[in-house]
């Protein structure tokens, strides 16, 4: 006997406003979840709370002033952002960067990848419900690397250290030694987080088979970075479209088999290990002496008319800068291709049908930077 | 043997009015527990900080010892905000519905051999029954706040409390079967030689997990899960109301820790016997209670949160069958009058089976490790330049 | 179960390590020599006047336009005490806007501006954001007293 | 003292029962039901049968009520308000009258002890003995019926899930 269907006695789906002020939306991100009980039926992401018109702002700045804004766009992988911006201008101007500067850039960018992934591991632990322990472990090592950045560039977060044609100023004398120290602590941090999370059954139960994407889906959504690699596509700009001195460095790309949240976590942890390897090699190959800025650069940077798209592999994926210049010292149009934004498009597909708690995990596994999404 | 002595106020023992003496005992116990909770907040923050390689509170007083007082002052002086659309009656009633049972539980707890508020024949059942009432408060708070997070949190809280109450009661029932009494006092006296954790390890494990779930602490803090429902039922409460909720949470933690210490670790009886005087007994009780609390803190720092469906299936598909099996095995042993060692054997075997199950279920499908791709052929010749 | 125990072991081990934090207002971390807190103006001990001539170079280069510079004729130049013909009259930096990019230091031709690398440059919390606009006296006070030696200067 | 306690408890039960019927807000009605059930638990204590009182709190105050409140809170409570009296009210009235008749019959048939001292304390063990020895067959049948009901509920819930 099936009970008569009465519309007034049916359970109703409940829309929930998650964000813009919510502990686990990683900034001012808002998603309107429609839940049936605990199951997510529909998701509508709302972005733009952090929109500062960064691209337009950078169009009013000359090429040196813009570097600080690149930092502020991608505030967890600042060196990657600076590198992307600087590369674009350099390619447009045809500037040759001295080798030493290139190596230092790679070292700093990879160390930055470590700090960014540490930040991910910490925040992801909190998303999964850990009481701040992973965050604390991650920040412990992250702060150590940031000390190094501070010694070199003078700031802990907004470095503004790369310049068109090289670096702003010479690194400190004990740079190599400090890098080795940082790597040692970073390795310890990776081990700690590995012990704390990777093998924990509760963590596995929370992460596995959640938000899984196949390789086709990942490509169709234009995912990049660890999100794409976790889905089984071995695509890494450092290998596939190499820039700087990456072709001279030996490292592996970790590729996942399942494409779920757990694989993304593993891929990032493994990438951290690879970054340590890259930095070690780069430190060996680093020329001890040499210029750090390209010679014969004008005091006022001017580009020839033209357009360029430069992309780097940021910790979140493909971070690209599309630059059009009509000559002069300012870009005519600047567009940033931010991995956070592109990866976020997959949120709906990944979340529907999962539990409310899994939506948080999926969002956490994307490792978005809201400033980068909104720009 | 059982004398009703008012806790911490032996001089008013002369009061022969039981209602008055019980009231006095309740007031004393409430004050002591409030102080205990203030200490617990400090201790929790310090212990968790150490496990995260931090210092913890350091500013107020030596080693931050006065921090709870500062916190209390701040919370009490904060404005209590109530949403305009909240249901006024449910909003305020929920506080009482959570607060009162938590303190009523303490009435039946024998702190030492002769320090308790009221003797009871069925004190264990009383503690479980009254302690289980708090779900009403959670539901009311969740519904009355007129907030969707609060509603979700309230629903989760009610479902969780009811689900985990059952394995908890069953695990206690196993102990009651062994002892032959549902009085905590008698259960403690039973453990003069060997604490019950030795005879009933499976019941102990079930009790431990169910307790953490009942207390809504990590990894079972789903109703208040900060990263999901942002505080759950407490989301709209502020100031003194919020602090009362927190106070209740800690009182519950003390109560269940005491219960665990009494039922499984032998309370003040094991290992020194009843005759060592109330001071040492109290100390022994405190130490055993502290073991539980430290364990809760330790677990809190180490584990991520479970998901709702995992939580439910863990209660109903894992803990409940094992608890029933424990009762069944105990029944066999007791009916056929087998030696106590058989109890240990069956229960220990069950405990091992439980651990193995938790271990294996998560790893049903062993996952392939990450592939490491060394040399990818360049898909595009160099990078684009303008 | 093994992973759970491993997590527990992890936190237990860490509990016996030395804490990495320090109790901040009591203990100040050593900050790097190159630390860029906020720009300050430097003091010329030799001539007992600021280095800054008020040339507006930094004002023009500032990406966030947080600086306001007013220049005047140097009275000491008339008496022959100083070789600077022009000198700074008024100088405001809005620390609330400054994004500490170091560009003002790079463009300065007179080594007159530097980035504060002391804790005083960081502990600048104010109740009102208008109090974050620093005038010439405030900008010069630290270098005048010899309390700061910027790690980064032009 | 005992008499006072009795009247307080009886008053609680009656007030709670009236509240259930008269209050328009269904959630408040559920709260009144809890109040009424707890009052019954108080009466059990008065009858020196602590075990029954505690079970009353545990099962009725806890498990049964949670289901009720769950159902009430998750449906469209405000719209239900207006539809409290449906087409089935004559049936309901008949059922209620029949129940009342049954209660009155039981009340007149029972030989109530007039002297309060005659009330015997029922020990915990006796209840268990009665349940599992003397009445074990009816007990098992009841549990079987409950099990069937449980399975039925699950099947209905599963159908709903499948329809979506």
């Amino acid at each position: 006997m099936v009970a008569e269907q009465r519309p007034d006695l049916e359970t109703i789906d409940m829309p929930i406003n998650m964000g813009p002020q919510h502990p686990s939306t990683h900034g001012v991100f808002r998603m309107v979840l429609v839940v049936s009980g605990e199951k997510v039926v529909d998701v509508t992401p709302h972005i733009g709370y952090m929109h500062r018109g960064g691209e337009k702002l950078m169009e009013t700045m000359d090429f040196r002033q813009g570097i600080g804004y690149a930092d502020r766009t991608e505030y967890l992988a600042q060196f990657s952002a600076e590198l992307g911006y600087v590369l674009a201008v350099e390619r447009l101007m045809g500037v040759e960067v001295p080798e030493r500067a290139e190596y230092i850039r790679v070292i700093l960018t990879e160390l930055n990848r470590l700090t960014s992934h540490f930040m991910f591991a910490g925040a992801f632990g909190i998303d999964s419900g850990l009481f701040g322990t992973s965050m604390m472990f991650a920040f412990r090592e992250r702060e150590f690397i940031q000390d190094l950045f501070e010694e070199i560039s003078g700031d802990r977060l907004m470095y503004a250290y790369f310049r068109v044609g090289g670096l702003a100023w010479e690194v400190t004398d004990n740079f190599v030694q400090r890098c080795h120290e940082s790597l040692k602590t970073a390795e310890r941090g990776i081990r700690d987080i590995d012990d704390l999370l990777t093998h924990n059954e509760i963590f596995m139960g929370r992460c596995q088979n959640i938000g899984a994407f196949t390789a086709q889906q990942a490509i169709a959504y234009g995912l990049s970075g660890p999100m794409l690699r976790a889905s089984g596509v071995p695509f890494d700009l450092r290998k596939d479209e190499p820039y700087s001195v990456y072709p001279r460095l030996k490292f592996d790309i970790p590729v996942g088999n399942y494409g779920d949240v757990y694989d993304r976590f593993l891929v990032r942890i493994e990438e951290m290990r690879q970054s340590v390897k890259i930095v070690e090699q780069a430190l060996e190959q680093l020329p001890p002496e040499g210029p750090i800025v390209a010679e014969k650069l004008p005091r006022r940077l001017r580009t020839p008319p033209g357009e360029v798209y430069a992309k780097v592999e940021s910790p979140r994926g493909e971070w690209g800068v599309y630059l059009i210049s009509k000559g002069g010292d300012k870009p005519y149009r600047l567009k940033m291709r931010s991995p956070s934004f592109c990866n976020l498009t997959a949120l709906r597909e990944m979340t529907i049908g999962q539990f409310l708690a899994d939506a948080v995990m999926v969002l956490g596994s994307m490792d978005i930077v809201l400033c980068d999404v909104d720009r | 043997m059982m004398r009703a002595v008012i806790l911490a106020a032996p001089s008013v023992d002369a009061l022969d009015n039981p209602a008055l003496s019980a009231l006095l005992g309740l007031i004393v116990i409430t004050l002591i527990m409030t102080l205990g909770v203030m200490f617990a907040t400090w201790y929790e923050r310090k212990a968790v900080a150490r496990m995260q390689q931090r210092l913890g509170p350091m500013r107020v007083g030596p080693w931050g010892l006065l921090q709870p007082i500062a916190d209390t002052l701040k919370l009490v002086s904060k404005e209590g905000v109530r949403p305009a659309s909240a249901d006024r009656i449910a909003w305020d009633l929920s506080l009482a519905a959570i607060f009162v049972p938590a303190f009523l539980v303490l009435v039946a707890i024998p702190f030492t051999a002769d320090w308790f508020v009221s003797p009871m024949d069925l004190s264990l059942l009383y503690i479980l029954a009254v302690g289980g009432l708090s779900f009403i408060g959670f539901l009311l708070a969740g519904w009355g706040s007129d907030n969707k997070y609060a509603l979700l949190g309230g629903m989760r809280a009610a479902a969780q409390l009811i689900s985990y109450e059952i394995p908890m009661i069953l695990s206690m029932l196993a102990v009651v079967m062994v002892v032959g009494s549902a009085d905590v006092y008698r259960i403690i006296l039973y453990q003069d030689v060997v604490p019950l954790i030795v005879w009933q390890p499976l019941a102990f494990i079930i009790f431990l997990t169910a307790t953490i779930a009942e207390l809504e602490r990590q990894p079972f803090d789903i109703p208040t899960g900060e990263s999901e429902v942002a505080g759950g039922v407490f989301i709209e409460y502020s100031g003194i109301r919020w602090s009362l909720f927190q106070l209740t949470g800690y009182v519950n933690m003390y109560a269940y820790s005491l219960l665990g210490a009494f039922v499984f670790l032998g309370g003040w009886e094991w290992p020194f016997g009843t005759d060592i005087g109330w001071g040492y007994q109290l100390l022994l009780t405190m130490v055993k209670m502290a073991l539980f609390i430290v364990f809760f803190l330790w677990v809190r720092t180490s584990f991520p949160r479970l998901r709702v469906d995992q939580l439910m299936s863990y209660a109903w598909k894992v803990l409940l069958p094992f608890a029933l099996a424990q009762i069944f095995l105990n029944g066999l042993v007791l009916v056929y009058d087998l030696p106590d060692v058989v109890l240990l054997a069956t229960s220990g075997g069950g405990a091992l089976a439980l651990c193995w199950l938790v271990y294996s279920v998560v790893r049903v499908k062993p996952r392939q490790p990450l592939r490491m791709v060394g040399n990818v052929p360049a898909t595009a010749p160099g990078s684009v330049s303008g | 179960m093994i992973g759970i125990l491993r997590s527990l072991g992890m936190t237990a081990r860490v509990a016996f390590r030395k804490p990495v934090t320090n109790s901040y207002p009591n203990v100040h971390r050593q900050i790097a020599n190159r630390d860029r807190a906020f720009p300050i103006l430097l003091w010329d001990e030799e001539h007992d006047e600021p280095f800054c001539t008020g040339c507006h170079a930094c004002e023009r280069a500032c990406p966030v336009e947080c600086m306001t510079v007013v220049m005047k004729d140097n009275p000491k130049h008339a008496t022959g005490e100083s070789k600077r013909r022009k000198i700074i009259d008024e100088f405001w930096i809005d620390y609330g806007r400054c994004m500490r990019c170091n560009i003002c230091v790079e463009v300065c031709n007179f080594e007159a501006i530097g980035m504060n690398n002391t804790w005083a440059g960081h502990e600048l919390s104010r109740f009102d954001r208008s109090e974050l606009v620093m005038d010439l006296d405030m900008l010069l006070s630290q270098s005048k007293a010899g309390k700061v030696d910027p790690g980064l200067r032009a | 003292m005992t008499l006072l306690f009795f009247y307080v408890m009886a008053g609680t039960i009656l007030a709670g029962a009236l509240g259930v019927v008269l209050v328009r807000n269904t959630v408040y009605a559920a709260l009144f039901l809890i109040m009424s059930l707890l009052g019954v638990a108080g009466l059990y204590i008065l009858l020196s049968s602590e075990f029954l009182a505690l079970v009353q709190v545990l099962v009725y105050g806890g498990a049964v009520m949670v289901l009720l409140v769950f159902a009430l809170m998750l449906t469209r409570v405000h719209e239900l308000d207006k539809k409290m009296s449906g087409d089935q009210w004559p049936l309901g009235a008949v059922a209620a009258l029949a129940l009342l008749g049954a209660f009155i019959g039981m009340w007149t048939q029972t030989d109530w002890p007039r002297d309060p001292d005659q009330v015997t304390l029922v020990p915990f063990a006796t209840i268990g003995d009665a349940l599992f020895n003397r009445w074990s067959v009816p007990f098992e049948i009841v549990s079987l019926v409950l099990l069937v009901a449980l399975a039925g509920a699950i099947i209905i819930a599963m159908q709903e899930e499948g329809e979506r």
Side-chain angles (χ1 to χ4, degrees):
Chain A
M1 191 183 75
V2 177
E4 185 195 347
Q5 289 287 323
R6 285 180 57 184
D8 55 331
L9 286 180
E10 267 178 15
T11 50
I12 40 177
D13 292 347
M14 183 165 69
I16 293 186
N17 229 329
M18 195 176 260
Q21 286 154 2
H22 188 279
S24 61
T25 49
H26 296 251
V28 282
F29 174 64
R30 170 176 164 222
M31 45 183 177
V32 179
L33 297 164
V34 179
V35 293
S36 158
E38 290 272 347
K39 278 249 163 80
V40 176
V41 181
D42 195 10
V43 190
T44 319
H46 291 257
I47 60 169
Y49 291 90
M50 288 277 268
H51 184 64
R52 306 165 321 282
E55 288 169 2
K56 280 287 161 219
L57 264 174
M58 282 168 86
E59 284 164 20
T60 66
M61 310 257 160
D62 68 28
F63 294 116
R64 178 160 59 186
Q65 290 174 337
I67 292 166
Y69 282 90
D71 273 338
R72 279 156 179 78
T73 307
E74 166 71 292
Y75 58 76
L76 288 182
Q78 303 90 335
F79 279 130
S80 288
E82 286 177 25
L83 186 61
Y85 180 69
V86 168
L87 272 182
V89 182
E90 279 165 5
R91 285 196 190 140
L92 204 54
M93 290 175 69
V95 178
E96 199 63 34
V97 183
E99 201 176 38
R100 185 173 155 81
E102 291 272 32
Y103 273 108
I104 292 174
R105 279 181 181 184
V106 167
I107 291 167
L108 291 180
T109 313
E110 290 303 321
L111 284 174
N112 205 183
R113 189 183 309 276
L114 278 173
T115 64
S116 174
H117 281 342
F118 269 129
M119 181 76 197
F120 160 77
F124 192 58
I126 286 188
D127 284 339
S128 69
L130 201 64
F131 183 68
T133 311
S134 64
M135 196 69 159
M136 193 53 214
F137 287 2
F139 261 66
R140 190 182 64 206
E141 321 307 348
R142 193 179 129 87
E143 290 289 312
F144 201 87
I145 301 176
Q146 277 181 331
D147 281 349
L148 169 66
F149 290 161
E150 188 189 17
E151 281 167 31
I152 297 164
S153 75
D155 206 307
R156 300 180 74 80
L157 203 62
M158 303 300 169
Y159 311 122
Y161 180 58
F162 291 175
R163 291 286 187 272
V164 175
L167 305 168
W169 46 84
E170 181 60 74
V171 293
T172 48
D173 296 337
N174 59 354
F175 174 67
V176 177
Q177 179 216 337
R178 289 282 289 128
C179 281
H180 280 303
E181 283 171 20
S182 303
L183 289 183
K184 218 176 279 170
T185 57
E187 274 175 339
R188 190 186 65 168
I190 299 168
R191 251 198 330 271
D192 282 3
I193 287 175
D194 217 27
D195 275 353
L196 186 72
L197 287 177
T198 312
H199 303 284
N200 190 322
E201 273 85 356
I202 300 175
F203 185 74
M204 286 163 121
R206 278 303 299 281
C207 293
Q208 290 181 354
N209 305 322
I210 304 295
F213 250 29
T214 60
Q216 281 81 10
Q217 275 177 304
I219 293 169
Y221 272 93
L223 303 187
S224 56
M227 297 274 290
L228 180 67
R229 291 195 281 278
S231 293
V233 185
F235 179 76
D236 190 319
L237 288 175
R238 292 174 294 177
K239 286 268 189 207
D240 288 276
E241 296 176 27
Y243 51 92
S244 200
V245 290
Y246 279 111
R248 299 183 210 167
L249 304 165
K250 283 202 191 85
F251 61 99
D252 294 327
I253 309 169
V255 176
N257 300 303
Y258 302 90
D260 57 4
V261 171
Y262 190 63
D263 260 0
R264 287 171 210 149
F265 176 80
L266 290 183
V267 163
R268 289 199 173 95
I269 295 287
E270 188 55 43
E271 265 183 26
M272 276 154 74
R273 297 212 177 88
Q274 297 300 328
S275 283
V276 171
K277 261 167 74 179
I278 295 174
V279 176
E280 270 169 359
Q281 290 173 47
L283 282 173
E284 266 172 33
Q285 298 175 12
L286 173 72
E289 299 269 304
I292 49 154
V293 188
E295 287 161 20
K296 286 183 263 172
L297 270 180
R299 197 176 163 87
R300 194 107 189 131
L301 296 168
R302 284 172 201 283
T303 53
E307 56 182 78
V308 67
Y309 179 65
K311 49 191 171 179
V312 294
E313 181 73 23
S314 103
R316 264 154 281 279
E318 178 184 332
W319 204 88
V321 171
Y322 180 57
L323 193 78
I324 306 179
S325 176
K326 294 206 165 176
D329 61 351
K330 290 183 175 101
Y332 172 73
R333 174 77 176 102
L334 188 106
K335 168 87 181 84
M336 297 177 199
R337 190 263 186 212
S338 76
S340 303
F341 177 77
C342 294
N343 290 352
L344 195 59
T345 52
L347 178 70
R348 188 164 186 274
E349 177 86 22
M350 285 182 185
T351 312
I352 287 179
Q354 311 281 2
F355 284 94
L356 176 68
D358 293 336
V360 172
M361 294 292 280
V362 168
L363 185 67
S365 78
M366 288 179 174
D367 192 20
I368 51 169
V369 169
L370 252 294
C371 265
D372 197 21
V373 173
D374 294 343
R375 295 190 292 284
Chain B
M1 178 183 61
M2 268 194 261
R3 291 179 295 124
V5 180
I6 297 163
L7 184 91
S11 57
V12 263
D13 195 18
L15 282 174
D16 28 276
N17 190 337
L20 210 64
S21 73
L23 189 71
L24 211 73
L26 256 181
I27 292 171
V28 171
I29 224 170
T30 309
L31 289 178
I32 289 177
M33 269 301 154
T34 313
L35 286 176
V37 167
M38 283 169 78
F39 179 69
T41 55
W42 175 83
Y43 183 75
E44 167 153 25
R45 289 176 66 175
K46 270 297 194 197
V48 168
R50 283 317 300 247
M51 286 185 219
Q52 298 177 349
Q53 250 188 312
R54 287 188 286 127
L55 282 170
M58 288 294 275
R59 287 288 287 163
V60 194
W63 305 290
L65 258 173
L66 301 179
Q67 185 71 40
I69 296 174
D71 283 349
T72 315
L73 284 178
K74 174 217 156 205
L75 281 170
V76 169
S77 60
K78 260 179 105 167
E79 185 190 1
V81 185
R82 184 182 58 215
S85 56
D87 188 297
R88 194 176 281 225
I89 295 171
W91 168 268
D92 279 329
L93 202 62
S94 67
L95 214 59
I98 293 180
F99 191 71
V100 171
F103 279 93
L104 276 183
V105 162
L106 297 173
V107 167
I109 286 181
F111 289 89
T112 72
D114 45 20
W115 269 34
F116 44 82
V117 178
S118 171
M120 240 179 259
D121 278 343
L122 297 167
S123 48
L124 187 60
L125 201 61
Y126 170 82
I127 291 170
L128 294 174
V130 176
L133 277 181
S134 58
F135 85 92
I136 300 175
F138 282 103
L139 272 179
L140 280 180
W143 182 78
S145 299
D146 196 25
N147 180 310
K148 283 163 184 167
Y149 286 120
L151 186 62
L152 267 182
M155 294 298 155
R156 286 172 166 201
Q160 176 175 336
L161 291 182
I162 291 295
S163 303
Y164 276 86
E165 192 134 292
I166 295 164
M168 185 172 201
I169 290 173
L170 289 179
S171 74
M172 284 292 173
L173 218 55
V175 174
V176 169
M177 285 171 81
V178 173
V179 178
S181 166
D183 187 354
V184 176
Y185 202 95
R186 278 182 201 279
I187 294 175
I188 297 169
L189 287 181
Y190 180 86
Q191 310 174 56
D192 51 351
V193 185
V194 184
L196 269 166
I197 183 175
V198 176
W199 302 132
Q200 299 282 287
L202 177 59
F204 178 70
I205 290 179
I206 295 172
F207 170 78
L208 205 57
T209 36
T211 303
I212 301 177
E214 286 277 302
L215 293 172
E216 296 175 3
R217 297 181 70 80
Q218 265 111 344
F220 298 104
D221 65 333
I222 293 162
T224 52
E226 182 181 80
S227 65
E228 296 153 24
V229 288
V233 285
F234 309 136
I235 192 167
E236 294 287 4
Y237 288 86
S238 59
I240 193 155
R241 288 192 179 88
W242 184 86
S243 52
L244 278 181
F245 274 126
Q246 294 298 310
L247 174 75
T248 312
Y250 279 101
V251 169
N252 271 331
M253 184 168 86
Y254 273 123
Y256 281 111
S257 302
L258 279 170
L259 192 64
F262 289 143
V263 174
F264 287 104
L265 297 187
W268 31 260
E269 177 75 19
W270 183 80
F272 299 118
T274 319
D275 305 323
I276 53 168
W278 63 267
Y280 289 109
Q281 284 182 351
L282 201 63
L283 196 69
L284 203 58
T285 311
M286 291 295 188
V287 168
K288 286 176 179 173
M289 182 185 77
L291 285 180
F292 275 89
I293 292 181
V294 167
F295 181 74
F296 292 155
L297 300 186
W298 189 14
V299 164
R300 182 179 188 193
T301 6
S302 308
F303 293 161
R305 187 182 304 122
L306 270 81
R307 212 195 304 139
V308 187
D309 61 322
Q310 291 168 343
L311 174 96
M312 286 296 150
S313 53
Y314 186 56
W316 293 99
K317 292 182 189 164
V318 180
L319 286 186
L320 189 63
F322 272 93
L324 287 173
Q326 166 88 78
I327 286 177
F328 181 68
L329 291 173
N330 278 359
L332 283 185
V333 173
L334 291 173
V335 167
Y336 294 106
D337 212 14
L338 299 170
D340 282 353
V341 185
V342 184
L343 276 181
L344 169 64
T346 52
S347 186
L352 289 180
L354 181 69
C355 293
W356 179 81
L357 196 73
V358 173
Y359 175 67
S360 64
V361 161
V362 184
R363 298 176 186 232
V364 182
K365 259 201 282 184
R367 291 166 68 97
Q368 295 168 12
L370 297 178
R371 280 185 290 139
M372 300 300 286
V373 181
N375 289 307
V376 190
T379 48
S383 49
V384 191
S385 67
Chain C
M1 214 54 204
I2 291 168
I4 286 176
L5 295 179
R6 211 163 147 181
S7 297
L8 283 176
M10 179 69 236
T11 38
R13 269 209 311 282
V14 172
F16 295 101
R17 288 190 196 156
K18 197 171 165 289
V20 286
T21 53
N22 53 29
S23 77
Y24 156 61
N26 305 335
V27 185
H28 278 90
R29 187 180 65 90
Q30 180 80 35
I31 49 179
N33 183 42
R34 286 182 181 180
D35 183 67
R36 293 185 272 141
F38 280 101
I40 50 165
L41 294 180
L42 302 181
W43 188 256
D44 188 356
E45 299 279 346
E46 216 171 295
H47 298 99
D48 204 30
E49 62 184 16
F51 282 114
C52 182
T53 58
C55 68
H56 296 271
C58 50
E59 191 184 13
R60 276 198 302 274
C62 182
V64 288
E65 297 167 5
C66 67
M67 295 175 166
T68 313
V69 183
V70 180
M71 166 203 276
K72 70 174 178 190
D73 288 335
N74 192 357
K76 286 189 180 171
H77 183 261
T79 58
E81 282 174 66
S82 167
K83 278 194 279 180
R84 288 189 186 84
R85 199 172 296 162
K86 299 282 185 183
I87 197 139
I88 188 76
D89 182 23
E90 295 282 1
F91 201 121
W92 290 281
I93 301 181
D94 186 352
Y95 278 5
R97 291 193 74 160
C98 174
M99 66 180 219
R100 311 181 317 178
C101 60
N102 204 45
I103 288 177
C104 49
V105 180
E106 280 171 43
V107 298
C108 184
N109 297 315
F110 304 97
E111 299 204 8
I113 193 165
M115 298 302 263
N116 195 343
N117 62 348
T118 63
W119 272 101
H122 286 281
E123 291 166 335
L124 284 164
S125 54
R126 298 280 190 274
F127 282 107
D128 190 339
R129 70 171 74 164
S130 65
E131 289 169 34
L132 281 172
V133 182
M134 300 291 165
D135 60 8
L136 188 60
D137 287 344
M138 301 279 276
L139 290 171
L140 279 169
S141 62
Q142 276 190 70
S143 57
K144 217 172 181 175
K147 279 182 190 160
V148 60
D149 176 28
L152 288 176
R153 60 170 88 194
Chain D
M1 185 70 195
T2 316
L3 209 61
L4 181 76
F5 188 75
F6 170 77
Y7 282 122
V8 169
M9 281 301 145
T12 314
I13 297 171
L14 279 181
L18 283 176
V20 175
V21 185
L22 296 179
V23 168
R24 302 296 293 175
N25 188 330
T26 38
V27 174
Y28 287 166
L31 288 181
F32 274 116
L33 188 57
I34 292 176
M35 180 175 139
S36 186
L37 290 173
L38 290 184
V40 173
L43 278 192
Y44 281 138
I45 288 180
L46 211 60
L47 289 170
S48 301
S49 118
E50 287 169 6
F51 178 71
L52 266 188
L54 292 175
V55 168
Q56 169 87 8
V57 170
L58 201 64
V59 176
Y60 283 96
V64 173
M65 281 317 297
V66 86
L67 288 179
L68 252 172
V69 179
F70 241 94
L72 289 178
M73 286 180 181
L74 281 184
T75 44
R76 297 177 182 174
V77 178
H78 300 292
E79 289 160 39
L80 262 181
D81 271 354
K82 298 151 199 158
K83 299 181 183 171
M84 286 287 274
S85 51
D87 313 328
Q88 300 171 340
W89 72 266
L91 277 176
V94 168
L97 281 177
L99 203 62
L100 184 68
F103 279 143
I104 290 173
M106 269 162 64
W107 184 54
T108 50
Q109 294 293 306
T110 312
D111 178 27
W112 299 100
R114 292 286 162 197
D115 189 5
D117 295 335
Q118 281 179 10
V119 174
T120 45
L121 212 151
V122 186
F124 189 18
T126 320
I127 299 175
D129 194 46
L131 266 185
F132 291 104
N133 281 333
R134 189 160 166 223
W135 305 104
S136 64
V137 175
F139 182 76
E140 289 304 323
I141 290 174
V142 167
S143 43
L144 206 66
V145 170
L146 284 177
L147 192 68
V148 171
L150 205 70
I154 290 172
I155 287 168
I156 290 174
M158 276 169 73
Q159 273 179 353
E160 272 189 7
E161 194 80 2
E163 280 165 15
R164 184 164 290 131

